[in-house]
């Protein structure tokens, strides 16, 4: 086949466009560990402004921004409240234990979303046997929950619990722009509710590298040491930050196209006889379960043959992700392949 492959495994597979590369090529740079890179500083300031927070810290990955935040918010023998399928717990190599020596209180959410009463009930009372609760962490959109999002009232209720118990509230916002675009929420509302936010530029935003941790000026100052000890201090990182700035300017509103395509895929899948269940496609992730009569391995091999890549996401579970490098013509090819398997 002479057609380009269609990669639905993740929104991390995008390659920078010529226009993004052009922006990177012309970046003004300096040594960012010396705090002399104007483009990194511009990215940190612009991202912080979008969320109504004071300052930002540019890091190589979302795992690093999350783990730095957790380290700064906790002490050894304390505890982080999070959802049992949250990225910080499930997919960051046990980093909470490794970096922070902290424990986790794992809650079961509705497609990853926690409620205020649920979180409040998990806060530890004073008792010498217990770890001390030090942090509440949410994820929006929720990856394992199939890109589910919180409503603003839900977030406000959670923030109220955090505030009343004097606990910091962190957001793993790897796909926070997807949440904002899907719900019409304003990022600046998040700055009122969350103490710290981790934002990824390398997912749906289409940058090749980079995440920004947001918080108060004092908090971000404190995190510079932690980034350094993790080996995340970068030098002429402005070339990478330029891609992030370009993404903020050009790739936010277009996430609505990814969401439209994800909904279309979800509808298509729901009508297939070999599909048992499709999670609601609220943003750009489509998680579905194949009937036992259609083994997942064979399904993925069939797609591969058709030039389509997808991820296994558990027993009989498959994930499709729409992103910058999936257009309507590709979607039509996916449709043809899916229908042909009926
Ligand atoms: C991808 C992702 C991250 C961070 O991933 P990196 O690959 O380390 O940038 C964090 N949280 C969620 C929910 C993610 O999907």
């Amino acid at each position: 086949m002479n057609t380009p492959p269609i990669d639905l495994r993740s929104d991390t597979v995008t390659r920078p466009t010529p226009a993004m590369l052009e922006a990177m090529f012309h970046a003004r740079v300096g040594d960012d560990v010396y705090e002399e890179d104007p483009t990194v500083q511009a990215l940190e300031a612009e991202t912080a402004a979008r969320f109504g927070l004071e300052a930002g810290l540019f890091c190589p990955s979302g795992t690093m921004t999350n783990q730095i935040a957790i380290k700064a918010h906790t002490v050894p023998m304390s505890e982080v409240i999070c959802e049992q399928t949250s990225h910080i717990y499930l997919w960051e190599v046990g980093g909470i234990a490794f970096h922070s020596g902290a424990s986790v209180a794992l809650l079961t959410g509705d497609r990853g979303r926690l409620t205020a009463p649920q979180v409040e009930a998990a806060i530890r009372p004073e008792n010498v046997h217990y770890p001390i609760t030090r942090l509440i962490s949410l994820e929006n959109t929720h990856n394992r929950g199939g890109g589910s999002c919180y409503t603003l009232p839900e977030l406000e209720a959670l923030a109220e619990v955090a505030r009343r118990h004097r606990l910091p509230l962190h957001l793993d916002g790897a796909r926070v722009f997807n949440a904002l675009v899907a719900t019409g929420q304003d990022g600046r509302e998040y700055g009122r509710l969350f103490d710290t936010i981790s934002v990824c530029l390398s997912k749906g935003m289409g940058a090749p590298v980079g995440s920004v941790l947001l918080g108060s000026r004092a908090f971000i100052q404190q995190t510079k040491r932690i980034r350094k000890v993790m080996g995340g201090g970068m030098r002429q990182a402005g070339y990478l930050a330029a891609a992030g700035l370009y993404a903020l300017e050009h790739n936010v509103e277009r996430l609505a196209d990814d969401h439209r395509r994800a909904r279309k895929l979800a509808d298509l899948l729901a009508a297939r006889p070999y599909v048992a269940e499709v999670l609601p496609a609220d943003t750009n992730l489509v998680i579905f379960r194949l009937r036992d009569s259609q083994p997942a391995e064979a399904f993925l091999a069939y797609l591969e043959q058709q030039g389509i890549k997808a991820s296994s996401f558990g027993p009989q579970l498959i994930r499709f992700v729409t992103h910058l490098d999936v257009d309507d013509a590709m979607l039509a090819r996916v449709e043809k392949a899916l229908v042909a398997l009926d």
Side-chain angles (χ1 to χ4, degrees):
M1 254 190 296
N2 218 356
T3 43
I6 304 170
D7 199 337
L8 300 176
R9 286 173 304 168
S10 173
D11 45 10
T12 55
V13 300
T14 58
R15 292 181 176 84
T17 58
M20 181 181 274
L21 286 169
E22 193 67 17
M24 295 168 73
F25 190 74
H26 291 108
R28 287 169 53 228
V29 298
D31 189 325
D32 187 52
V33 175
Y34 289 169
E35 305 191 355
E36 286 174 3
D37 190 301
T39 309
V40 169
Q41 287 170 5
L43 173 66
E44 290 170 343
E46 174 62 25
T47 316
R50 298 235 179 168
F51 291 88
L53 286 164
E54 285 176 357
L57 184 78
F58 186 49
C59 292
S61 72
T63 299
M64 189 180 279
T65 45
N66 278 330
Q67 293 299 325
I68 288 174
I70 292 164
K71 175 96 185 136
H73 284 304
T74 61
V75 292
M77 301 188 289
S78 65
E79 190 163 68
V80 179
I81 296 175
C82 62
E83 212 270 342
Q84 60 168 344
T85 62
S86 60
H87 196 281
I88 60 165
Y89 170 69
L90 198 58
W91 280 322
E92 297 186 9
V93 209
I96 298 175
F98 181 74
H99 299 295
S100 302
S103 180
V104 279
L106 295 177
L107 304 179
T108 304
D110 165 30
R111 294 175 58 216
R113 289 165 301 196
L114 301 176
T115 67
Q118 204 181 4
V119 166
E120 185 154 31
I123 297 171
R124 301 283 190 179
E126 179 50 42
N127 179 323
V128 72
H129 299 86
Y130 291 143
I132 301 169
T133 305
R134 272 294 181 93
L135 177 65
I136 300 166
S137 184
L138 306 178
E139 185 174 314
N140 198 29
T141 70
H142 203 282
N143 185 340
R144 190 77 204 191
S148 54
C149 333
Y150 286 93
T151 66
L152 202 57
E154 286 167 345
L155 292 176
E156 281 167 342
L158 285 153
E160 192 276 323
V161 167
R163 204 151 293 157
R164 193 148 37 76
H165 291 269
R166 298 180 186 283
L167 289 170
L169 186 61
H170 174 70
L171 177 65
D172 177 355
R175 295 189 180 83
V176 66
F177 285 109
N178 294 87
L180 296 180
V181 167
T183 59
Q185 293 160 354
D186 183 338
R188 286 167 300 186
E189 296 282 352
Y190 281 44
R192 281 196 304 110
L193 304 174
F194 291 95
D195 296 278
T196 53
I197 303 177
S198 158
V199 178
C200 282
L201 300 163
S202 57
K203 299 264 166 98
M205 299 289 286
V209 175
S211 290
V212 185
L213 176 61
L214 306 173
S216 69
R217 213 171 296 290
F219 181 90
I220 292 301
Q221 196 52 41
Q222 176 196 354
T223 60
K224 288 192 177 167
R225 254 211 178 74
I226 305 174
R227 183 180 64 177
K228 197 77 181 87
V229 80
M230 288 184 180
M234 297 185 285
R235 304 298 179 174
Q236 286 71 34
Y239 291 117
L240 301 175
L245 277 170
Y246 181 92
L248 286 176
E249 199 176 325
H250 296 95
N251 292 347
V252 177
E253 283 78 22
R254 64 150 306 283
L255 291 171
D257 297 330
D258 296 344
H259 299 171
R260 170 177 59 75
R261 293 185 183 116
R263 271 196 305 277
K264 188 159 179 208
L265 281 174
D267 289 346
L268 248 158
L269 287 163
R272 306 278 62 81
Y274 51 86
V275 172
E277 186 194 0
V278 188
L279 289 189
D282 296 337
T283 52
N284 70 325
L285 311 181
V286 187
I287 296 177
F288 58 100
R289 193 160 49 82
L290 296 166
R291 289 191 197 283
D292 291 340
S293 51
Q294 174 58 72
E297 292 291 296
F299 178 72
L300 289 172
Y302 165 77
L303 288 182
E304 188 83 44
Q305 246 171 30
Q306 308 293 314
I308 301 163
K309 289 179 192 294
S311 305
S312 159
F313 221 55
Q316 290 297 88
L317 280 182
I318 307 285
R319 188 182 75 168
F320 283 173
V321 185
T322 56
H323 52 74
L324 199 57
D325 291 354
V326 177
D327 61 19
D328 286 324
M330 290 173 168
L331 208 67
R333 279 171 54 206
V334 176
E335 172 167 7
K336 220 171 126 193
L338 290 175
V339 170
L341 201 60
D342 279 1

